[in-house]
């Protein structure tokens, strides 16, 4: 009985083992010949493709970017201290990719999906390649909807549209990041998803941005993608591409997305470092010749998609740092030619306390003007003209001992317009608040108000207009065009609001 049972058991096991197949997986391996400085050179991976992931011992990944006849140049995405020449590595067969999905909102991560905020495990639907082709021309549509930043100078004089690429340029410590962060804060209730991409920033600077977004309830609608200055140059290089892939996931679903690259100067330096280590020939200012293509293929992915392609938009605000106000340097001129305009922040204005320190004369938006609301457009035309006249007259007035009444009045009016354009950090304004104040300034209602009381007058106008004319405020913010009688209503409320404000003696 026992012998029969054993025979049946053995027969069954033999049959199961015979039926089972063992799939064979081909794996190509190579050997490291050199490692250091964030790159590795490998021999033996003859079938590897460009941008393919390479697996190193210790769960370190690399990306193949130099395909030479006898070796492969790989940029490392992790700590290379424990890697040495002679170790075996293997090709993974997949491109460098990054997680995408709704679960990334409100999180701080790196380009590979590692969690940096000590939160719960990341929930995501899929992984997509970090390098993806930009949408074809046939898939794109004109930029038609404004992206409101909440900053008076930008929304009135340098408007940005959803799907536009607007460069933020200026020297160090002039408020470039503050402009971008304020724009993200202003998207809280506008159904716009934001991605903040920090490239080579100090950990304290990134923590400050994250805390600001959390303080103003803007983090829950934002993905923060970080490659700090302590990370390998390879991680800094792929981070903006990974962040763009995360943003594209939402834009392809028909949503509007804003992405901030802070900043592409450090991205270019990381790529220069990698290129020199990989012995690529340097070009102008030691940057390799393909640096233009590097940023062009990144920013070309930002656009407004046609309805048949989803109808979403991806607006890019790349930040670039200049040296001694030199916007004619190699990287700034590259990005100026790629983007649809630039917002220039002047250190001279910054040191004078004219914040945000946006130089209207050197700033331009080639696309956003068509998206501006009609009510805003009717205000901004006169504002730009009067402000330009004031700046020109103020320069010449320094050399004049006596001025005629008309010139003096123009200068006094311009000074008040300049005061109105000042704005506190992290205090974005509704479109109706901006239009009411700018209309009052254009109409000369503030010309007799003391300069140190302009802020009080502005607050009073905003409060009264919002309380007494809510219907008109809603019309202005939804793109309706106001007639003369409606503008007169706003001016009448503004006059009443500033009636008790101290005037110039």
């Amino acid at each position: 009985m026992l012998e029969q049972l054993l025979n049946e058991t053995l027969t069954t096991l033999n049959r199961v083992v015979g039926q089972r197949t063992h799939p064979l997986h081909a794996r190509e391996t190579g050997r490291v010949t050199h490692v250091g400085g964030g790159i590795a050179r490998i021999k033996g991976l003859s079938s590897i493709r460009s941008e393919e992931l390479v697996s190193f011992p210790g769960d370190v990944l690399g990306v193949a970017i130099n395909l030479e006849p006898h070796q492969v140049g790989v940029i490392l995405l992790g700590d290379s201290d424990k890697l040495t020449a002679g170790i075996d590595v293997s090709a993974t067969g997949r491109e460098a990719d990054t997680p995408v999905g709704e679960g990334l909102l409100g999180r701080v991560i790196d380009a590979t999906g590692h969690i940096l905020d000590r939160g719960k495990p990341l929930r995501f639907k899929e992984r997509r390649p970090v390098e993806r082709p930009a949408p074809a021309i046939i898939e794109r549509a004109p930029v038609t909807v404004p992206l409101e930043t909440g900053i008076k100078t930008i929304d009135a004089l340098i408007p940005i549209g959803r799907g536009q690429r607007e460069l933020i340029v200026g020297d160090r410590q002039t408020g470039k990041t503050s402009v971008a962060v304020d724009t993200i804060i202003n998207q809280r209730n506008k159904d716009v998803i934001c991605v903040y991409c920090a490239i080579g920033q100090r950990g304290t600077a990134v923590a400050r941005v994250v805390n600001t977004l959390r303080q103003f309830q803007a983090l829950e609608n934002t993905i923060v993608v970080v490659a700090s200055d302590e990370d390998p140059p390879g991680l800094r290089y792929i981070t903006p591409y990974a962040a763009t892939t995360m943003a594209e996931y939402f834009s392809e679903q028909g949503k509007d997305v804003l992405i901030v690259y802070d900043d592409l100067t450090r991205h270019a330096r990381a790529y220069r470092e990698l290129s020199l280590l990989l012995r690529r020939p340097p070009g102008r200012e030691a940057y390799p010749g393909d640096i233009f293509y590097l940023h062009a293929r990144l920013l070309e992915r930002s656009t407004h998609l046609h309805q048949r392609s989803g109808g979403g938009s991806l607006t890019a605000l790349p930040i670039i740092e200049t040296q001694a106000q030199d916007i004619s340097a190699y990287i700034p001129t590259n990005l100026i030619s790629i983007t649809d305009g630039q917002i220039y922040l002047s250190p001279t204005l910054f040191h004078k306390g004219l914040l945000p320190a946006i130089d209207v004369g050197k700033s331009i938006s080639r696309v956003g003007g068509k998206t501006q609301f009609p009510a805003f457009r009717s205000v901004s035309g006169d504002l730009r003209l009067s402000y330009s006249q004031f700046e020109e007259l103020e320069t010449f007035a320094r050399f004049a001992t006596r001025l005629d009444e008309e010139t003096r009045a123009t200068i006094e009016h311009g000074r008040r317009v300049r005061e109105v354009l000042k704005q506190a950090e992290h205090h974005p304004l509704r479109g109706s608040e901006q239009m009411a104040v700018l209309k009052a300034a254009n109409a000369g209602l503030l010309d007799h108000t003391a300069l140190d009381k302009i802020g009080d007058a502005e607050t009073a106008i905003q409060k009264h207009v919002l309380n007494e004319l809510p219907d008109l405020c809603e019309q202005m913010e939804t793109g309706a065009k106001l007639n003369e009688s409606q503008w007169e209503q706003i001016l009448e409320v503004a006059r009443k609001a500033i009636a008790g404000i101290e005037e110039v003696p």
Side-chain angles (χ1 to χ4, degrees), residues 124-135:
F124 57 90
K125 295 183 178 180
E126 58 178 306
R127 298 183 73 96
R128 292 186 178 181
V130 298
E131 286 271 15
R132 306 181 73 214

Side-chain angles (χ1 to χ4, degrees), residues 210-224:
V210 172
N211 288 335
T212 300
L213 296 177
R214 185 178 287 114
Q215 177 186 350
F216 290 94
Q217 291 81 48
L219 184 60
E220 60 189 21
N221 206 40
T222 304
I223 304 171
V224 180

Side-chain angles (χ1 to χ4, degrees), residues 20 33 88 113 141 143 147 156 158 167 210 218 227 259 290 313 315 337 381 395-396 406 468 473 478 482:
R20 183 171 180 179
T33 59
D88 290 336
V143 176
L147 180 92
I158 322 157
L167 182 66
V210 172
I259 185 167
D290 60 343
S313 69
T315 309
S337 63
T395 302
F396 286 104
E406 184 179 351
E468 299 182 26
C473 290
T478 54
L482 302 188

Side-chain angles (χ1 to χ4, degrees), residues 68-190:
E68 301 174 11
H70 305 294
Q71 66 178 4
V72 178
V74 176
I75 59 174
L76 301 174
L77 305 182
D79 188 6
S80 61
D81 291 343
K82 297 181 181 179
L83 303 181
T84 59
I87 60 176
D88 290 336
V89 298
S90 60
T92 62
R94 62 188 179 96
E95 290 183 75
D97 54 22
T98 191
V100 296
E102 305 278 349
L104 276 61
L105 293 173
R107 304 304 301 272
V108 183
I109 58 176
D110 70 6
T112 61
H114 289 152
I115 301 169
L116 303 178
D117 57 8
R118 300 180 182 177
K120 297 178 181 178
L122 204 62
R123 294 182 295 105
F124 57 90
K125 295 183 178 180
E126 58 178 306
R127 298 183 73 96
R128 292 186 178 181
V130 298
E131 286 271 15
R132 306 181 73 214
I137 296 297
I138 197 68
E139 298 175 3
R140 303 179 184 229
V143 176
T144 55
V145 180
L147 180 92
E148 298 173 78
T149 66
I151 301 172
K152 288 173 285 189
T153 308
I154 297 178
D155 289 346
L157 304 176
I158 322 157
I160 300 173
R162 296 186 183 184
Q164 184 174 340
R165 298 154 298 179
E166 185 77 4
L167 182 66
I168 301 176
V169 59
D171 285 9
R172 289 184 69 251
Q173 302 296 323
T174 51
K176 301 185 296 297
T177 299
S178 294
V179 169
V181 171
D182 285 355
T183 304
I184 293 176
I185 292 172
N186 197 53
Q187 311 309 314
R188 285 171 296 189
N189 304 314
K190 301 188 185 301

